[in-house]
Every structure is written in C-alpha cells, then in structure tokens.
C-alpha cells in the first residue's frame, strides 16, 4: 500500500508546521555588523550594499541603541579612518575611529548587548593588507601579531566585550589572549575568525570600508577548496583560547559548520557576508526574488547547518519584522 508513510500530514497548516519546525532563530542569536566612519557629517550610503551605510558617530549610537531595543545579541563594529599609514597606527590610537565607536557603544547601551570590535589592520593600512609588511612587501606574520596584541588591549580599554581577530595570522588568538590577560582584561572574550576564506563575496565590504587593497589575501586567508584545513584552524584557535569560533563566508561554506560544530565545544558563529547580502538585495530590487523570504531562508539555512550565532547585515531588519 502506497504511500506507506505520509510526511505531508505535518505540513498541513501553519500551526502544524510551526509545531514541528526544527530550526528557530531568536534576535539574541544575531549580530549586526556596523561601519563607523571618521569625519562624516551625514551617514554615507554604500552603493554596493543597498540599505547599509557608513555611520557617523551619532547615527552609529542610534543604530546600536535600536539594536539593543530589538534584543539583538550584539553588534560588530568596523572603523573607517580618514587617514591610513603603512603600519595602521589608527588602530592603536584611543582616539582612533574604531576605539571611539566602541566607547560610544558602551556608553549608549552598557551591557544590554555584546559590543564586538573587528580586530584587523586592513581598514587602517594604506596598502590595505590585514597586517604589516616586511622589506619585500610580504605580510609579516609575527610583526603583525605584536600589533594585534596592542590593538586588542586598546579595544578592551575602549570597552569591547568581545574582540574579533579577523586577519588570519598564525597565532593571533594566542597573542590576543595573552595580551588581554597581561593587561588585566580577563573578561574580554575572543570571537575568532577561525576559518576565513579568500572570497569574492567580500567585494561589497571593500567599498563599505574604503579598502585600499591591491591584489588579494590568498597568502593568509584560506583556499575555498579546503575543508580539513578549516577544522585545523578552528582547533588551533580553541587551543589558543578562542571563546567562539567563526566560519566566513557562510553560504558557500555550510559544510564546515557541522564539521566544526562536532569537533569543538565552544559556540560556532557564521558570517553572512556582504556579497551574500548584496546578491539577495540586488535580485529583490529587480523583483526577481521575494526579499523577506530569501532573507529568512538564508538565515535559517545557516542556523540549520549548525551555527549558534549568525552575523548578518539583516539582523535589525529581521528582528524588527518579528515585532
Ligand atoms: C577584514 C574583514 C573583511 C570582512 C570582515 N572583516 C574583509 C576581507 O577580509 O577582505 C568581510 C565582511 C563582509 O564581506 O561582509 N577586516
């Protein structure tokens, strides 16, 4: 007798589907990335990311206050400095745009959400690389680590609850943990960009942060062909003291989420990156796909694959819609 079983019974009504839904997403599991630019009088729209802006200090404060009201888990702050140099000095300056934005965020919301700061030099260097360069123009791993340690302390001093080392230098999590401990910031957590790929899907982000990069980051970010290497990176980061490990981008790398999830005990995050955002926005603008459904499906898929936390430019939009 066929059909022997009828899975459609559980899909018959919205209530039935809600009852058996395996994956839910709460605003508290979402993190909103925000760009704060130095010297802006008005927020500046980012052409390649419709709906996303470079914030002024003031509008960033308002966006962060709203994020807290919406119950988001956190904000991830990126700074866009007016001046850059070869060693990224703006990253260490307590008056540098990112450190000031972190301090503003804490003043605005206190502990109501988790204030996270990107810990990387690419926004601050005139060559656009994530680290400092050696005499031959190569990214110098160990010289960069020294700067990351100081950057972590500067961000902790500004008030960051969690720092996000994203430069893919070997040993970065260990150096950041040691620097934070030595400075007495034992409570500042580390969200490690453990498996970060050299991805074309960061394209719009480069406009968002006025990136000066020529060339690519393939000597430090991972090859999209490799999965085992992602696990190796994640295990190293946990051993070095990561409190959360992250996979980035999310959609092309969903296979890594259950892999990493099953090998570590810390929370796993995934970064739904700029290109993933902009593709949906561009298609929705043309009426080719239903924006809200595509957004929900994107975030649900990332959660279903195994991410505990999702960084997404849609975080506030999704939370607002649930109201
Ligand atoms: C590096 C950094 C990048 C992103 C987050 N942190 C860009 C890069 O590695 O080139 C990309 C985020 C996105 O595309 O949404 N600080």
């Amino acid at each position: 007798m066929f059909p022997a079983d009828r899975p459609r019974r559980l899909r018959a009504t919205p209530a039935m589907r809600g009852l058996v839904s395996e994956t839910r997403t709460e605003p508290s599991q979402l993190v909103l990335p925000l760009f704060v630019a130095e010297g802006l009088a008005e927020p500046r729209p980012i052409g390649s990311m419709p709906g996303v802006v470079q914030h002024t200090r003031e509008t960033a404060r308002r966006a962060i206050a709203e994020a807290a009201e919406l119950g988001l888990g956190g904000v991830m702050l990126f700074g866009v400095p007016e001046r850059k140099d070869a060693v990224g000095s703006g990253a260490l300056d307590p008056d540098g745009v990112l450190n000031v934005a972190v301090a503003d965020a804490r003043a605005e919301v206190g502990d109501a959400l988790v204030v996270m700061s990107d810990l990387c030099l690419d926004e601050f260097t005139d060559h656009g690389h994530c680290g400092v360069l050696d005499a031959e123009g190569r990214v110098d791993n160990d010289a960069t680590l020294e700067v990351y340690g100081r950057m972590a302390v500067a961000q902790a001093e500004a008030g960051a609850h969690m720092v996000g080392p994203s430069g893919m230098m070997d040993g970065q999590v260990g150096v950041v943990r040691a620097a934070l401990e030595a400075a007495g910031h034992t409570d500042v957590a580390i969200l490690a960009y453990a498996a970060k790929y050299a991805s074309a899907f960061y394209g719009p982000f480069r406009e968002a942060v006025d990136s000066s990069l020529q060339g690519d980051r393939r000597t430090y970010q991972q090859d999209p062909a490799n999965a085992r290497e992602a696990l190796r990176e994640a295990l190293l980061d946990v051993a070095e003291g990561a409190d959360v490990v992250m996979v980035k981008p999310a959609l092309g790398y969903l296979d890594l989420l259950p892999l990493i999830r099953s090998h570590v005990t810390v929370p796993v995050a995934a970064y739904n990156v700029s290109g993933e955002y902009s593709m949906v926005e561009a298609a929705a603008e043309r009426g080719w796909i239903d924006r809200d459904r595509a957004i929900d499906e994107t975030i649900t898929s990332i959660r279903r694959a195994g991410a505990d936390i999702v960084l997404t430019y849609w975080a506030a939009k999704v939370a607002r819609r649930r109201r």
Side-chain angles (χ1 to χ4, degrees):
M1 197 186 68
F2 293 98
D5 200 356
R6 296 186 184 273
R8 287 186 57 193
R9 276 185 210 114
L10 297 183
R11 300 176 200 142
T13 66
M16 190 72 91
R17 293 193 291 273
L19 183 70
V20 300
S21 168
E22 296 176 36
T23 307
R24 294 169 212 271
T25 305
E26 296 300 326
S28 61
Q29 297 165 314
L30 300 177
V31 175
L32 177 66
L34 288 172
F35 304 103
V36 188
E38 199 164 43
L40 277 191
E42 294 286 317
R44 192 157 79 89
I46 299 162
S48 56
M49 298 180 75
V52 179
V53 300
Q54 285 185 354
H55 281 286
T56 68
R57 277 181 70 177
E58 198 40 49
T59 64
R61 282 182 80 128
R62 267 182 265 144
I64 294 161
E66 195 208 0
E69 278 159 30
L70 288 167
L72 296 186
V75 288
M76 172 60 83
L77 301 178
F78 293 93
V80 184
E82 267 178 321
R83 272 171 300 278
K84 307 180 185 194
D85 61 26
V87 294
S89 336
L92 302 179
D93 183 352
D95 297 323
V97 59
L98 180 53
N99 294 324
V100 164
V102 168
D104 285 347
R106 286 302 305 282
E108 189 66 34
V109 297
D111 294 328
L113 49 63
V114 179
V115 174
M116 309 179 184
S117 52
D118 184 54
L119 203 167
C120 190
L121 288 176
D122 62 318
E123 285 94 32
F124 297 95
T125 53
D126 51 16
H127 45 73
H129 275 294
C130 294
V132 295
L133 306 182
D134 68 13
E136 275 80 54
R138 293 170 305 201
V139 176
D140 185 333
N141 193 86
D142 296 11
T144 300
L145 292 184
E146 198 268 325
V147 185
Y148 283 179
R150 288 193 284 146
M151 189 172 178
V153 173
Q155 295 183 346
E157 238 113 75
H161 291 110
M162 194 178 247
V163 297
S166 66
M168 289 299 281
M169 296 300 126
D170 293 336
Q172 65 184 12
V173 173
V175 161
V176 164
R177 188 70 266 158
L180 290 172
E181 297 293 313
H185 295 291
T186 51
D187 291 339
V188 173
I190 300 177
L191 167 70
Y193 285 62
K196 181 173 179 184
Y197 286 85
S199 173
F201 294 94
Y202 307 151
F205 177 94
R206 305 259 164 101
E207 182 193 337
V209 299
D210 299 341
S211 173
S212 343
L213 183 70
Q214 307 281 327
D216 59 56
R217 307 195 197 284
R218 285 179 226 223
T219 70
Y220 42 105
Q221 297 181 345
Q222 286 182 246
D223 181 343
N226 297 352
R228 289 191 304 265
E229 195 185 346
L231 182 56
R232 181 185 185 197
E233 288 279 4
L235 294 175
L236 275 171
D237 283 358
V238 170
E240 289 176 28
D243 297 283
V244 180
V245 290
M246 185 153 72
V247 171
K248 178 180 173 188
L251 291 182
Y253 301 86
L254 291 182
D255 57 317
L256 302 178
L257 291 169
L259 178 69
I260 293 175
R261 175 66 291 159
S262 64
H263 283 83
V264 304
T265 55
V266 298
V268 176
Y271 197 140
N272 178 206
V273 300
S274 59
E276 297 170 338
Y277 171 89
S278 298
M279 287 194 300
V280 169
E281 289 292 328
E285 228 169 66
R286 287 162 178 73
W288 291 350
I289 55 172
D290 180 320
R291 177 184 278 107
D292 284 350
R293 287 189 57 202
I295 293 171
D296 286 345
E297 190 172 330
T298 298
I299 294 170
T300 298
S301 297
I302 297 167
R303 293 260 309 126
R304 189 199 65 238
D308 302 295
I309 300 165
V310 182
L311 278 71
T312 175
Y313 299 98
W314 288 306
K317 187 183 176 66
V318 168
R320 246 181 253 129
R321 212 183 332 118
R322 305 253 171 109
R323 283 268 142 131

